[in-house]
Amino acid sequence: MEAAAAREKIQALTEKIEELNHLYYQNNESRVSDQEFDLLLKRLQQLEEAFPELADPNSPTQRVGGTITKNFAQATHQYRMLSLGNTYSPGELQDFDGRVAKGLGHRDYAYCCELKFDGVAISLIYEQGRLVRAVTRGDGTQGDVVTENVKTIRSIPLYIEHPDLPERFEVRGEVFLPRKEFDRINAERQKAGEPLLANPRNAASGTLKMQDSSIVAKRRLDCYCYQLLGENLGLDTHEEATQRLEAWGFHVSPTYKKCADIQEVFAYIEEWEEKRHSLPVDTDGVVLKLNDFTQREELGFTAKIPRWAIAYKYAAESMPTRLLGIQYQVGRTGLLRRWHNSKL
Ligand code: IVH
C-alpha cells in the first residue's frame, strides 16, 4: 500500500473506531461485537506499524496500551485539586446551606447534586483538542503524570473536534473500575489461583499507577467527568459546564440534577440512597455544589476546601462477613495479599 492510501485508510479507521467508542460510552449502544471492534483496532495498529510516520500519538490504538513507564513524572496542577468538606448529618447540611445563604446575602441560588463516586480523581489537560496530559491528584498541588495509562480508558476522548473548542482546558473526573469488571477480573484471578483485588477503588488506583499500559488496558477502567476548568470558557453555571462536557463527548454520569433549594437536595439524597447500588460504580455519598460560578467566587475557599460545595456521606453499611482467620494486606497496586494459609 502506498503512503497516501495508508493515510486515508488510517483516517477512516480512526474515525470509525472513535465513533463506535462514542456510541458505546455516550449512548450505551453497541453496533459491533467486541471481536469486530478489536479487529478494526488491529487493522489500524498494523497500518501504523507499517507506516510509523503516520501514527498519531492520540490514535485509538493507544487504547490498547503497550508503553512501559518506570517512574511517573510529576506535574504541578494549574488549579489546586482540593478536597471537599463532608458530613453525615442532615443538620450539618442544613447549617452548610445556612452559611451559603448568609454568604450570598440571601439572594436566590441553586445547587447541582451529583453522586460521590468512589474512585480516583484525575485531571485531564487538553490542548488544541488533544489530550496532552493526565495527572493524578497527588498532594493536591502536584501529581503523577499517568497519560499513557489514561489513554487506555475508552470513554476519555483522545481527540475532540467541536466548533468553538477552547485552545486549552482541563477536565476533572473520577476514574473507576466498574463493579462488573471488578467481579470479572476477580473471577479470573481466582481461577488462576492469583491473589484477589481488594475492592474497586483500590484496584482503580493501583491500576492507574501500573508500569505496563497494556495491562491497564485489559482492566477496562472508566471515568465520570464532573468539572471543566480554563480561562474565558464563557460558562456561568455548573449545569452549563456539565452539558458542555457531555457535548464534547466526555462521560458524565446521568445522575446529576439541579436542585432549587436544600429541600430538593434532601429529596435527591433520599432518592439515591438505595438506587445508587444499581449504578456501575461504588458511591458513598452526594456532592452538592453551588450552581452559579459568580456566586462560587463570592464564597471562595477556606484553607483546604471550597465554601460552595460539600459532600453528604451515606451512613456506612455493615456487611455480613465470615471470619476466616486470615490476614490480608492491600498492596500499592490494589492487590489483596493473603499472608496466612487458608482455605478460601
Ligand atoms: S467535585 C472542589 N464531584 O471527591 C471540589 N468530587 O473530597 C472538586 N469526588 O477529590 C471535587 N465524586 O476525587 C466532585 N461528583 C463529584 C465527585 C467528587 C467523587 C471525589 C474527588 C475529589 C473528592 C473530594
Side-chain angles (χ1 to χ4, degrees):
M1 192 185 288
E2 294 199 7
R7 189 191 304 275
E8 258 178 43
K9 190 81 198 145
I10 284 176
Q11 197 181 342
L13 278 167
T14 302
E15 279 169 16
K16 174 97 193 150
I17 293 167
E18 289 297 337
E19 190 201 348
L20 289 170
N21 251 333
H22 186 84
L23 285 169
Y24 185 80
Y25 285 101
Q26 261 60 43
N27 307 6
N28 265 330
E29 195 183 322
S30 281
R31 293 231 174 124
V32 296
S33 66
D34 280 3
Q35 287 97 316
E36 282 172 282
F37 185 85
D38 289 344
L39 200 68
L40 291 172
L41 262 184
K42 194 159 209 139
R43 258 193 237 146
L44 181 56
Q45 209 167 13
Q46 283 165 348
L47 280 170
E48 287 176 348
E49 274 162 22
F51 298 90
E53 69 282 8
L54 300 178
D56 185 313
N58 281 20
S59 155
T61 53
Q62 298 301 302
R63 307 265 192 215
V64 295
T67 327
I68 308 281
T69 313
K70 282 268 179 257
N71 292 302
F72 294 105
Q74 294 277 301
T76 302
H77 298 296
Q78 188 182 352
Y79 312 94
R80 272 189 66 198
M81 284 183 93
L82 296 165
S83 53
L84 289 165
N86 63 57
T87 175
Y88 289 87
S89 128
E92 281 180 18
L93 204 56
Q94 196 85 54
D95 293 346
F96 167 82
D97 183 53
R99 288 194 299 275
V100 169
K102 191 164 169 226
L104 296 174
H106 299 276
R107 294 192 331 266
D108 210 14
Y109 58 89
Y111 292 111
C112 263
C113 282
E114 289 161 15
L115 283 156
K116 191 166 190 297
F117 311 113
D118 201 9
V120 186
I122 195 80
S123 147
L124 308 167
I125 310 293
Y126 286 81
E127 284 171 8
Q128 286 148 354
R130 280 166 195 279
L131 173 68
V132 291
R133 201 158 53 253
V135 188
T136 63
R137 178 170 164 207
D139 63 4
T141 304
Q142 263 196 343
D144 289 329
V145 178
V146 290
T147 319
E148 295 313 314
N149 286 348
V150 164
K151 281 183 183 174
T152 69
I153 304 176
R154 293 172 187 226
S155 65
I156 293 182
L158 301 181
Y159 181 59
I160 307 165
E161 249 181 309
H162 205 274
D164 308 324
L165 203 68
E167 175 69 19
R168 186 179 197 281
F169 62 90
E170 176 174 346
V171 175
R172 289 186 181 167
E174 200 80 357
V175 170
F176 63 95
L177 188 66
R179 170 122 330 248
K180 232 170 71 188
E181 280 298 311
F182 173 79
D183 291 341
R184 178 187 64 77
I185 295 166
N186 264 354
E188 276 174 23
R189 295 181 78 91
Q190 190 159 27
K191 237 194 219 162
E194 291 170 12
L196 301 186
L197 301 172
N199 59 56
R201 203 211 77 85
N202 284 359
S205 131
T207 306
L208 266 190
K209 303 269 184 67
M210 281 180 156
Q211 294 186 344
D212 182 348
S213 65
S214 58
I215 301 182
V216 180
K218 294 201 177 93
R219 292 252 175 121
R220 299 294 168 111
L221 294 168
D222 201 344
C223 180
Y224 279 149
C225 297
Y226 47 66
Q227 205 173 10
L228 175 58
L229 294 162
E231 307 296 314
N232 307 317
L233 297 179
L235 291 166
D236 296 326
T237 65
H238 182 69
E239 194 186 26
E240 278 170 38
T242 307
Q243 286 161 355
R244 193 167 292 187
L245 285 176
E246 284 176 316
W248 288 349
F250 289 91
H251 201 189
V252 172
S253 167
T255 51
Y256 74 93
K257 185 171 189 267
K258 186 173 156 190
C259 293
D261 54 34
I262 198 74
Q263 292 319 317
E264 281 191 32
V265 172
F266 280 121
Y268 180 93
I269 290 172
E270 230 180 276
E271 179 189 346
W272 283 100
E273 176 142 25
E274 286 308 316
K275 243 168 61 177
R276 69 198 169 103
H277 298 299
S278 60
L279 295 172
V281 52
D282 285 351
T283 56
D284 59 355
V286 165
V287 182
L288 50 144
K289 309 168 179 181
L290 200 56
N291 190 34
D292 188 283
F293 290 158
T294 314
Q295 292 182 340
R296 284 187 184 187
E297 259 173 57
E298 275 181 54
L299 294 187
F301 298 84
T302 67
K304 281 201 199 121
I305 54 172
R307 289 199 183 88
W308 44 261
I310 193 168
Y312 176 87
K313 298 279 203 78
Y314 290 113
E317 289 140 12
S318 53
M319 301 273 276
T321 52
R322 244 176 78 206
L323 183 64
L324 295 171
I326 316 160
Q327 275 189 318
Y328 292 100
Q329 192 191 43
V330 181
R332 229 179 56 79
T333 56
L335 281 186
L336 187 64
R337 297 236 169 263
R338 196 171 60 223
W339 290 108
H340 285 252
N341 278 340
S342 65
K343 285 183 209 149
L344 266 184

